[in-house]
Each structure stands twice: as C-alpha cells, then as structure tokens.
Amino acid sequence: MAYHTLTTFWFKIELSKRGAVTRGRKADLVERLEAYERNYNFQNNPPVIIPPVTVPDWPDSGFQQIVVDHRALLPKITEEQIAGYFRYRLATDQQAAGDIKAMEKGMLLVESKRIDACSIKISCSDIFMTGIVRAAMKKRVAYCFKIKLNGRTAEIINTHCECPAGKGPHGTCKHIAAVVLMVKCFVEGGELKVNKTCTENLQSFI
C-alpha cells in the first residue's frame, strides 16, 4: 500500500482499530502501523509501542571517551547560549521558570560530580555527546542523556534525557544542564568533571 498518499487521520483510525497509540508524527504512525501488520496485529502478544525518535540523525557508532585532548576540538559555549536555549521553552511550553531553575540545579550536579560517564563523537558539522548522570537525591538512580551541538558555534540543537523532565528532542532538565555546563567549564578551564568515561556503560543508550 502506498502509505505516503494517505493522511495522518487515516493512520490514526487504523491504529485505533488495533488498540495502538495514535500520538506522534505521520512518520511515527506509519512505522507503528507497519509493525502491527508485520506482527499480525500482535494477536498473541501485548502491543508493542514504537518510541519516537528522541534526537534526529543520531549516529549509532564512532563515539569515544571524552578526554582532555578533546578540549582543543570543542567550540566555546557561553552561559548566555545555554540560558537562551532553556529560556526558549517559554515560547513553546510555558516551562521557562522551571527550566532556568534546572540550570542552577545542573551546576550543583556538576560540582558534586554526578556526571558518571560521557562519550563524544565529532563530525564535520556537529558534536554528539551521550552518557550517564546520577540523580541528585537517589543513590541508585541514573539517567542517560543525548546532546547534539553545532560543531562551529556550539549552539545546542537537540537534547534528550531519560528522566521525566528531559524528554527530547528539546529536553531541558537539570541533567542536560549539568552536561552542557560541564562542557562550558571544560573548554574554559580545562577541568573535566566526569567521574569515568566508560564506553561499555553507554552501549545500550547509543
């Protein structure tokens, strides 16, 4: 069937007939419906929800542990840039107050060395980072993150965190704030405030 000729409304009707989730972009709906058709509508299994893409064009390989030598390859990112990205939420979801508070809490996470791991991939035009940030109050809870920066200007393009407040592609939780503030401090002063950079810990998230 030529799915590209059909409307989003049609896909939502077909998915609702199957008891499937109908939220998302048309591309998500197409992928979800195809999954149901491939698996005979999951008649003998519970429905499987295909999650939407959290960060567009995310690479699945080529990441390296972030080390001191990466400092020379990273563009300078300012606190104004970071604050601007977080404040932009005011125009989209009225969460600006909470987002700016997230920056303050993010700096506390940096200072308390809650960033457990960070790996990086530098391409021709973009910088990708992924890793783990431990929760502030829960000892055994940690969240994986994804961050995409412009490789020339350090503009924050996309962000995602596993925590409830950090859902991508433009998450603005304190864990995201911690990582971008860590990068800022690293480029400015040379101190890499990451506990460990173990690639093996990141394989399930990349």
Side-chain angles (χ1 to χ4, degrees):
M1 183 179 294
Y3 281 153
H4 67 279
T5 63
L6 301 172
T7 65
T8 300
F9 182 69
W10 183 89
F11 285 103
K12 290 186 176 183
I13 292 176
E14 291 300 312
L15 287 167
S16 64
K17 289 178 182 178
R18 294 162 171 79
V21 173
T22 59
R23 296 188 301 273
R25 300 173 303 171
K26 183 176 179 179
D28 301 326
L29 303 179
V30 171
E31 187 176 7
R32 198 171 299 144
L33 183 59
E34 288 176 340
Y36 269 79
E37 291 184 342
R38 282 196 308 271
N39 294 277
Y40 303 98
N41 294 325
F42 300 99
Q43 292 179 357
N44 299 317
N45 298 288
V48 175
I49 299 173
I50 300 174
V53 175
T54 53
V55 175
D57 304 318
W58 187 261
D60 57 6
S61 63
F63 284 84
Q64 298 177 335
Q65 301 172 7
I66 190 168
V67 294
V68 174
D69 290 346
H70 282 119
R71 183 188 179 195
L73 304 176
L74 295 172
K76 181 180 180 181
I77 182 169
T78 67
E79 190 166 342
E80 288 73 21
Q81 281 178 292
I82 300 169
Y85 180 78
F86 276 68
R87 287 196 184 100
Y88 181 74
R89 303 279 288 194
L90 178 63
T92 56
D93 60 9
Q94 287 76 51
Q95 292 185 14
D99 292 340
I100 298 304
K101 194 72 174 178
M103 287 186 61
E104 298 174 6
K105 294 179 179 179
M107 197 65 226
L108 292 176
L109 290 176
V110 175
E111 296 300 334
S112 58
K113 297 183 178 180
R114 291 281 174 167
I115 302 174
D116 263 358
C118 185
S119 285
I120 189 169
K121 176 183 173 69
I122 301 176
S123 69
C124 295
S125 58
D126 297 314
I127 296 170
F128 304 87
M129 291 183 293
T130 186
I132 302 168
V133 179
R134 279 183 292 136
M137 304 300 293
K138 301 175 182 178
K139 292 182 179 179
R140 297 186 179 181
V141 177
Y143 300 106
C144 294
F145 64 83
K146 291 181 178 180
I147 297 174
K148 180 180 178 182
L149 305 176
N150 182 294
R152 184 177 61 84
T153 65
E155 175 190 0
I156 304 172
I157 301 172
N158 294 118
T159 52
H160 172 72
C161 177
E162 287 183 320
C163 78
K167 183 179 179 181
H170 300 290
T172 51
C173 65
K174 59 187 175 184
H175 310 105
I176 295 294
V179 178
V180 291
L181 288 168
M182 176 274 291
V183 172
K184 171 186 174 293
C185 296
F186 174 46
V187 174
E188 288 180 351
E191 184 179 3
L192 186 56
K193 296 185 178 182
V194 179
N195 290 336
K196 56 185 178 179
T197 51
C198 181
T199 305
E200 287 76 13
N201 289 346
L202 309 179
Q203 287 179 347
S204 62
F205 196 59
I206 295 173

